[in-house]
Amino acid sequence: MTPQLQQAIKLLQLSNLELTEYVEQELERNPLLEEAREEGEPERASDDYEPDEITPDNDWDTPDPASLTLSEDNALPTSNSDLDTDYDNVYADEAVADKTATAEGQQSSDWHQVKSAGGGFDGEEDFESRLTREQSLQEFLSEQLNMSTLNARERFIGAYLIDQVNEAGYLQESLEDTAERLGIEMEEAESVLKVLQTFEPTGVFARNLAECLSLQLAEKDRLDPIMQSFLENLELFAKRDFTQLMKVCGIDKDDIQCLIDDIKQCDPKPGHAFGDTPSAPVIPDVFIRQKSDGGWAIELNAETLPRVLVNTQYYNEVSKAASADEKSKNYLSECFNDANWLVKSLDQRARTILKVASEIVRQQDGFLMYGVSHLKPLNLKTVADAISMHESTVSRVTSNKYAATPRGIFELKYFFTSSIASSSGGEAHSAEAVRHRIKELIDAEAPDAVLSDDSIVDILKSEGMDIARRTVAKYREALRIPSSVQRRREKKAFA
């Protein structure tokens, strides 16, 4: 696999901010590259090109985003057809490239494990940076989320809430706004948050200081009614109005000193254990907005995309001066080829991201309109086949790329969910939707008509969901719902 091919493949994996860092390195290294800075140049992608408009009658052709990375002075291709013979095949043959890379120890198919540390493309540098880089709070919380007993739907909600945690460990968005944005009930949002608040460091996902302290005190078994009363009146403590505080809590001077000592053992900003440097905010790579006619428009975040061009005039002048020096001539030729390839790679990367994002939006239109309950089953192959690309290309594009949607900012890979086959041979059902239906059935059961797992299977099959009994049991346990025998006993006890 040539260095240029490695570059083209790996550029796909980078987020816009990581791409900018890499291009800056190339600008310093290559004298024939320069940043495109035109006077009066528009800042938004929508001013440079017409974004992909997604409507029921759309033919799903991807717009040409070449203007995002090429200046008009570049004699490089500006349409997909211009690239068919010399560039698109790079991505079509990625399966071969991946095998070659693995044989050489490059392991390009696992590039996402390296790029998460940031930096350039050199494997050794990235590996070292991974060893020395501090783990972020979001990464630490995501690891715990992946090991939790939450089901896929709840993990989706949990991943969104993790993105709302600031560097101190507090939840920035209200749970009401989260429920409305994701199209879920408050009870479900509260249930997921309750699990997330058991994560380390203790006190994360608190919505205010009192809740943060109560989570830590509860772990130490110090959250008794008197302490709860103290936390409910923290404003008196802040004012140092101890007389009124003792009166409200019904305690004396010695007792209040004990409460204060317990409070001092808590960490009001548990997230700061991961370093004083605030976590970098998530910057969307793609904007998805709804149009007035109900369709969707997609555009790249041009503000974070680097724009470069090849200075052919400088190349021609220097080439003439260095024509007698073979070494200098070869160096200039290499720089010229690398510069042209980088510009091509940036152009193709933009087109590829738009193609993938457009297909994801078409597949997950229900989620964008109505929320998590309408997520459709989706896998990499479905998207790859629809846009005639290799699965590995789609995998790279969806990793560490974020889309700003009317429901919030999500990583593109979040839109891929497992499926349950239809018993009638129709469209498959999302596993999350099936779990939600199982919970609805159990919540609605009467004390004298508790549903067994077999009964649930029969009901689901009558509704077109082909599911096995053991799968129902697995989903029920993931929802932390007891067996029919236990439920029957509990319902009779409280009848």
Side-chain angles (χ1 to χ4, degrees):
M1 186 167 60
T2 65
Q4 289 89 347
L5 179 56
Q6 293 182 46
Q7 179 194 63
I9 291 174
K10 291 174 181 178
L11 283 181
L12 275 179
Q13 187 69 37
L14 298 179
S15 67
N16 283 0
L17 296 182
E18 292 170 328
L19 182 68
T20 298
E21 181 180 351
Y22 174 73
V23 170
E24 288 176 352
Q25 295 174 359
E26 289 298 300
L27 286 168
E28 294 178 0
R29 186 188 66 83
N30 194 327
L32 300 182
L33 273 176
E34 63 181 50
E35 189 172 0
R37 293 182 179 274
E38 299 180 8
E39 184 177 354
E41 183 181 34
E43 296 182 356
R44 295 284 299 183
S46 56
D47 295 330
D48 280 342
Y49 71 102
E50 186 65 26
D52 197 13
E53 298 185 353
I54 303 176
T55 62
D57 298 327
N58 198 302
D59 60 4
W60 293 92
D61 287 338
T62 304
D64 178 15
S67 59
L68 296 177
T69 53
L70 305 178
S71 77
E72 60 184 8
D73 297 328
N74 268 309
L76 294 176
T78 57
S79 65
N80 286 328
S81 59
D82 294 332
L83 296 175
D84 287 340
T85 57
D86 65 342
Y87 194 73
D88 279 349
N89 288 335
V90 167
Y91 295 92
D93 295 336
E94 275 191 32
V96 177
D98 284 343
K99 292 179 180 178
T100 305
T102 302
E104 296 176 356
Q106 299 288 337
Q107 296 182 352
S108 61
S109 61
D110 289 330
W111 167 248
H112 67 280
Q113 298 176 5
V114 177
K115 67 90 202 148
S116 62
F121 289 129
D122 184 84
E124 293 183 2
E125 290 180 4
D126 283 336
F127 181 68
E128 290 174 1
S129 65
R130 288 177 65 197
L131 291 178
T132 58
R133 181 178 62 92
E134 283 190 20
Q135 186 181 39
S136 71
L137 176 61
Q138 275 69 24
E139 289 171 341
F140 185 58
L141 295 175
S142 295
E143 287 179 358
Q144 296 176 77
L145 178 65
N146 292 334
M147 293 186 291
S148 70
T149 58
L150 295 176
N151 59 46
R153 173 189 171 93
E154 292 168 330
R155 289 186 185 184
F156 187 99
I157 299 170
Y160 177 81
L161 289 174
I162 287 175
D163 286 338
Q164 306 309 312
V165 173
N166 63 19
E167 64 271 14
Y170 286 82
L171 199 59
Q172 300 177 93
E173 183 178 85
S174 71
L175 212 56
E176 291 79 6
D177 290 344
T178 295
E180 181 180 355
R181 191 179 294 275
L182 297 183
I184 60 177
E185 297 295 329
M186 268 296 294
E187 291 76 10
E188 185 172 16
E190 290 172 348
S191 175
V192 173
L193 179 61
K194 188 175 181 180
V195 175
L196 297 181
Q197 288 182 337
T198 65
F199 288 4
E200 295 292 338
T202 306
V204 291
F205 293 101
R207 287 159 286 186
N208 51 56
L209 177 60
E211 187 174 34
C212 179
L213 297 175
S214 67
L215 291 170
Q216 297 178 55
L217 291 166
E219 184 181 58
K220 300 174 182 178
D221 197 24
R222 294 293 298 150
L223 190 62
D224 53 29
I226 294 178
M227 179 62 82
Q228 288 179 331
S229 179
F230 183 95
L231 294 176
E232 290 170 1
N233 295 275
L234 279 178
E235 70 279 0
L236 296 176
F237 177 58
K239 296 176 182 178
R240 304 187 69 80
D241 188 351
F242 298 117
T243 301
Q244 183 63 22
L245 192 56
M246 287 187 290
K247 182 178 179 181
V248 171
C249 297
I251 55 178
D252 58 25
K253 188 175 181 180
D254 291 336
D255 290 333
I256 200 168
Q257 185 60 52
C258 291
L259 295 180
I260 294 173
D261 290 341
D262 287 336
I263 292 290
K264 287 182 177 179
Q265 298 301 315
C266 298
D267 186 353
K269 296 181 179 180
H272 281 179
F274 290 80
D276 296 329
T277 303
S279 301
V282 174
I283 305 297
D285 301 271
V286 179
F287 293 110
I288 300 172
R289 59 179 176 83
Q290 189 170 20
K291 297 170 54 192
S292 58
D293 61 2
W296 300 95
I298 301 174
E299 58 184 339
L300 295 178
N301 185 354
E303 294 182 1
T304 60
L305 277 174
R307 306 184 184 195
V308 296
L309 57 84
V310 182
N311 193 333
T312 54
Q313 181 179 355
Y314 179 65
Y315 170 70
N316 292 331
E317 293 175 356
V318 177
S319 294
K320 293 178 182 178
S323 58
D325 187 346
E326 190 66 25
K327 185 176 180 180
S328 298
K329 185 177 179 181
N330 291 338
Y331 170 73
L332 287 172
S333 178
E334 181 182 349
C335 289
F336 185 71
N337 291 334
D338 288 347
N340 275 290
W341 188 271
L342 176 61
V343 174
K344 279 187 178 183
S345 297
L346 294 174
D347 177 44
Q348 184 67 15
R349 175 186 179 275
R351 300 182 188 185
T352 305
I353 292 174
L354 280 175
K355 278 186 178 181
V356 173
S358 297
E359 182 60 25
I360 289 175
V361 170
R362 185 171 74 164
Q363 295 282 351
Q364 299 293 10
D365 174 79
F367 164 76
L368 296 173
M369 291 293 295
Y370 307 110
V372 178
S373 298
H374 290 77
L375 273 174
K376 291 174 58 179
L378 186 64
N379 56 39
L380 294 174
K381 188 176 187 304
T382 300
V383 173
D385 291 345
I387 59 179
S388 302
M389 286 186 178
H390 196 274
E391 285 182 55
S392 61
T393 301
V394 177
S395 177
R396 290 184 176 93
V397 168
T398 55
S399 180
N400 203 34
K401 302 291 189 308
Y402 290 85
T405 76
R407 295 193 172 275
I409 299 178
F410 298 91
E411 193 170 4
L412 291 179
K413 69 178 182 181
Y414 288 171
F415 296 102
F416 294 88
T417 63
S418 56
S419 64
I420 301 296
S422 171
S423 59
S424 59
E427 186 176 357
H429 303 272
S430 167
E432 286 71 35
V434 174
R435 291 188 185 94
H436 182 67
R437 181 56 180 150
I438 290 173
K439 188 176 186 301
E440 284 183 334
L441 291 172
I442 293 176
D443 288 344
E445 63 188 5
D448 57 347
V450 174
L451 298 172
S452 66
D453 290 346
D454 287 323
S455 299
I456 295 174
V457 168
D458 293 338
I459 294 174
L460 293 178
K461 285 187 176 180
S462 69
E463 295 177 352
M465 304 177 194
D466 187 12
I467 188 170
R469 180 186 178 280
R470 62 180 178 274
T471 305
V472 169
K474 180 179 72 174
Y475 287 178
R476 175 178 53 74
E477 291 169 359
L479 292 167
R480 296 182 294 281
I481 297 174
S483 67
S484 59
V485 175
Q486 292 174 294
R487 299 201 307 275
R488 186 178 295 108
R489 187 182 301 119
E490 290 174 1
K491 289 179 184 291
K492 286 182 178 180
F494 293 100

